[in-house]
Amino acid sequence: MATATLPVQRWLRGTDTMLGQVRTLYLGIVLAWPLLGLWHLLAVPAPLALTGAAAGLLLVGWLHLGYRRERFPAWSWLGEGACLFLAAWASGHGVLIGLSLAWVGFRSLYGRLPEKALAAAVLCTIMGFGVLILDVPWGYALPLLFTLLFLVAVNHLLAAICRTRDGVAHRTRIVASGGAGLAAATTRAEAMDVTLQAALGIDRAVGSALILTMLGPSLRVAAAAGRVDAEAPGRVAERAGLPAQAREALRLGGYAEVTGEAAAAACEALRLPRRPVLVIAPLTAHGSVFGALVLVLDRSPEGDLRQVLTTLADWAALTLDQLLTRSRLGIVVDNSPDALILAREAGSIRFVNPAAAALLGCAPGDLIHRNLWSLVHGDDVAALRDVEPTAATTVVPCRIHGPNDVGWADVEAQVRYVIEHDGSRSLVFTARDVSEQHRLELELRHAQKLESVGRLAAGIAHEINTPIQFVGDNVRFLQTAFADLDRLCAVYRDLAAVVPDPAGAAAAVRKAADVATDIDVEFLMEEVPAAITQTLDGVDRVANIVRAMKAFGHPGMEEKARSDLNEAIRNTLVVAANEIKYVADVEVDYGDLPLVYCHLGDINQVVLNLVVNAAHAITAAQRGRGTIRVRTLVDGGYAVIEVADTGTGVPPEIADKIFDQFFTTKEVGVGTGQGLALVRTLVTDRHGGTIDFTSEVGQGTVFTVRLPVAGNDDPSQHEHEVEATV
């Protein structure tokens, strides 16, 4: 079917427009005339018949040639009129009506209004010659003349209407095509090129098109197309150099068609060749103008360009703004230090940023289509997947690793469920690597423990010095006693040697008795065992202090473990003994606690800070020796540590501040305000527990620490769960 229509398509022109279809219809009438009109020539002599046929066929051929070229020169009205007159004269004006109507109707669809005056003059001349030469009656000629003139006017108006409608349709197609191109554009350069190509096709008079962006008081040529020099892009012009009409267009809802001297001034300001017409439409986004779309025309456009140009400018501005936003978003995502992963609701990964690939130790392509939950530690999956879709973003500590399984990385993760443009539900997984932060925090906590030990060092040294002194005194006593006993033993050996000699034996016995009296053997036999017991007790006391210091100051493990809190409290009280014993008596009540899943070093620090804080409160009360009571018990699934004192108490006006960082009631240089703040961090953040207090001013304070026995991340909690296959 398509092959059969090719010959017809070769002969037809412009049938895709209304004006082209009307012209083709009239051309069909013109081409049909020889079949209906030349038969009149059969009744006249051959010379006249040949002349009429030649004139008629020449007219028809010329009209078809003009149809193919889609234009006629203005002077052709004269030649066409002459051909019509010859055909009418040769046939005895028998073909005048049909041929003239077909000719005038077809030719009136071409040319501008001034040509129609020439057409009217030609028609009047033909009718005048018809009346004078061919003896056409006036009653016949005048109605035909008026009919032809009316047909000229009507078809000229019809051509103008069709031309306007075709122009609107053409511009609509151009803008629609430009809109489709803008929707498919992936870069700002591509979007600007699509916009300029569409702008060039809006009207035949458009010679060049430019996109300007506003830089404060200046305008920069961002892109240009058409008849412009290659150096136009990047050129900067001052807005003040534009005529007022052009500047007025650079506002919301603005538009201007600048002509005459104003157009020339605008071209000069933009350093473009002088043209008679400029059309300017603003580019707007977010309620402000950021640029303009400018058309440079060689003549006035065919119709009003306002609607089509502002529509194209709005679409271009929207696309450029979206691409700019997308570009900026890409820059932020690509350079974000946090790992960003977009996955389907079931976990299939759709996008990762470079930080995520670096954190997981692989290329981004290695993560696409992998299941997100397969990268998360099995003990942490439930905490992340159970996040309520409508809840505020919650930071969840967890561990992740890449597909190469090079080791777990500690991260703080957030999961947010989102709805994408196609209506599908996805999740955004954000992770921040805190491995180094945890290492530094561990070192800081260890340093703080050592700092606490350092502050108590003098007291600890005194605690060790006392048993060491009496251990030394007892050892020196034992040394002297051993020497005396050695003398006595020597005499007894001599006595044993002289037993066979009665005279010598008596002297030896007297000597042994003298030595025993001299060394006071009864005293030695009584005191040496006591000295040995005291020495061993002193050694035990030193060993306990050293063991407590070692347990307290040990950095511990980063991983939590099940620990004996009562033993930890005993060690802490030993370390703090010298800080306490001069101001308060310590009463302990150790409950039957199970092993608690915790960071034991953190709990040591918590108890030390609370006990030392209690001692300071008792000192500040200035009521003499006080009492510190330490109690442990089990309450449900929590291990409870209570530290009570008989100190000053906490005034109500500062009760809500005592856990704040750097808040202290001590004098400058004495307190740093970090002790209780650290306690709250270790209890709540590190262990998921709570700390609270009750206080009565002048009577004392009771601090209560509650720690989950199973811990907030104890793997044993999940032993009964079967890990899901992901």
Side-chain angles (χ1 to χ4, degrees), residues 73 112 165 170 295 328 340 408 410 525 595 597 627 710:
R112 300 292 179 180
R165 185 265 177 195
H170 168 73
L295 302 186
R328 289 173 174 171
L340 302 175
W408 295 104
D410 292 318
M525 297 305 294
L595 296 180
Y597 191 68
T627 302

Side-chain angles (χ1 to χ4, degrees), residues 284-344:
T284 61
H286 308 295
S288 62
V289 178
F290 69 88
L293 176 59
V294 179
L295 302 186
V296 183
L297 291 83
D298 299 328
R299 53 178 171 77
S300 295
E302 297 178 356
D304 188 6
L305 300 182
R306 183 186 187 102
Q307 181 176 358
V308 63
L309 189 61
T310 53
T311 300
L312 179 61
D314 289 343
W315 287 359
L318 177 62
T319 302
L320 291 173
D321 181 66
Q322 289 176 341
L323 291 173
L324 178 62
T325 301
R326 188 185 308 170
S327 174
R328 289 173 174 171
L329 179 61
I331 292 173
V332 172
V333 170
D334 289 345
N335 292 279
S336 171
D338 293 342
L340 302 175
I341 299 177
L342 176 67
R344 297 184 185 276

Side-chain angles (χ1 to χ4, degrees), residues 21-31 101-102 104-106 109 151 155 158:
Q21 293 170 359
V22 173
R23 287 173 175 175
T24 301
L25 176 63
Y26 269 95
L27 179 66
I29 298 174
V30 171
L31 295 178
L101 289 174
V104 170
F106 177 73
L109 298 174
L151 184 60
N155 276 17
L158 176 62

Side-chain angles (χ1 to χ4, degrees), residues 142-460:
L142 287 178
L144 179 59
L145 175 61
F146 285 125
T147 300
L148 294 177
L149 292 176
F150 179 74
L151 184 60
V152 169
V154 170
N155 276 17
H156 176 74
L157 181 61
L158 176 62
I161 294 174
C162 290
R163 193 176 290 111
T164 300
R165 185 265 177 195
D166 291 339
V168 172
H170 168 73
R171 292 166 185 164
T172 302
R173 286 195 302 273
I174 290 294
V175 173
S177 176
L182 288 170
T186 57
T187 65
R188 286 170 59 84
E190 184 179 348
M192 287 190 285
D193 182 64
V194 169
T195 302
L196 294 177
Q197 294 305 318
L200 290 174
I202 286 178
D203 193 277
R204 295 179 181 179
V206 178
S208 55
L210 301 90
I211 292 179
L212 307 179
T213 56
M214 298 175 62
L215 302 172
S218 303
L219 295 171
R220 177 179 175 272
V221 180
R227 296 193 298 272
V228 293
D229 57 86
E231 298 178 354
R235 188 175 294 163
V236 177
E238 296 299 323
R239 269 193 292 172
L242 294 175
Q245 188 178 0
R247 293 197 304 271
E248 184 65 17
L250 301 176
R251 59 176 178 82
L252 291 175
Y255 175 84
E257 183 174 319
V258 186
T259 59
E261 291 300 322
C267 289
E268 183 177 355
L270 297 173
R271 286 183 282 177
L272 298 172
R274 293 170 66 95
R275 291 292 184 271
V277 181
L278 260 77
V279 181
I280 304 174
L283 300 174
T284 61
H286 308 295
S288 62
V289 178
F290 69 88
L293 176 59
V294 179
L295 302 186
V296 183
L297 291 83
D298 299 328
R299 53 178 171 77
S300 295
E302 297 178 356
D304 188 6
L305 300 182
R306 183 186 187 102
Q307 181 176 358
V308 63
L309 189 61
T310 53
T311 300
L312 179 61
D314 289 343
W315 287 359
L318 177 62
T319 302
L320 291 173
D321 181 66
Q322 289 176 341
L323 291 173
L324 178 62
T325 301
R326 188 185 308 170
S327 174
R328 289 173 174 171
L329 179 61
I331 292 173
V332 172
V333 170
D334 289 345
N335 292 279
S336 171
D338 293 342
L340 302 175
I341 299 177
L342 176 67
R344 297 184 185 276
E345 186 176 10
S348 178
I349 295 176
R350 308 176 69 177
F351 169 81
V352 297
N353 71 335
L359 176 63
L360 298 174
C362 61
D366 296 338
L367 296 170
I368 302 302
H369 303 309
R370 284 187 175 270
N371 195 290
L372 169 64
W373 305 118
S374 67
L375 308 177
V376 180
H377 196 286
D379 297 337
D380 303 327
V381 171
L384 289 170
R385 300 188 76 164
D386 292 344
V387 174
E388 290 294 332
T390 57
T393 300
T394 303
V395 176
V396 180
C398 66
R399 292 152 289 179
I400 62 175
H401 66 67
N404 300 326
D405 195 12
V406 295
W408 295 104
D410 292 318
V411 300
E412 291 179 346
Q414 296 176 338
V415 174
R416 289 297 299 270
Y417 290 90
V418 297
I419 303 298
E420 296 204 56
H421 65 281
D422 58 357
S424 63
R425 195 161 177 260
S426 299
L427 61 89
V428 178
F429 179 88
T430 306
R432 175 170 296 176
D433 187 1
V434 293
S435 300
E436 180 65 13
Q437 178 182 337
H438 284 181
R439 186 186 68 80
L440 294 175
E441 288 177 352
L442 181 62
E443 292 182 357
L444 177 59
R445 287 193 298 273
H446 183 48
Q448 288 171 333
K449 285 194 293 183
L450 294 180
E451 180 185 358
S452 299
V453 173
R455 290 199 305 268
L456 302 174
I460 294 171

Side-chain angles (χ1 to χ4, degrees), residues 522-543:
E522 293 180 359
F523 172 79
L524 292 179
M525 297 305 294
E526 180 182 349
E527 293 298 326
V528 166
I532 293 174
T533 301
Q534 290 177 0
T535 300
L536 292 176
D537 181 60
V539 170
D540 288 340
R541 288 180 60 183
V542 172

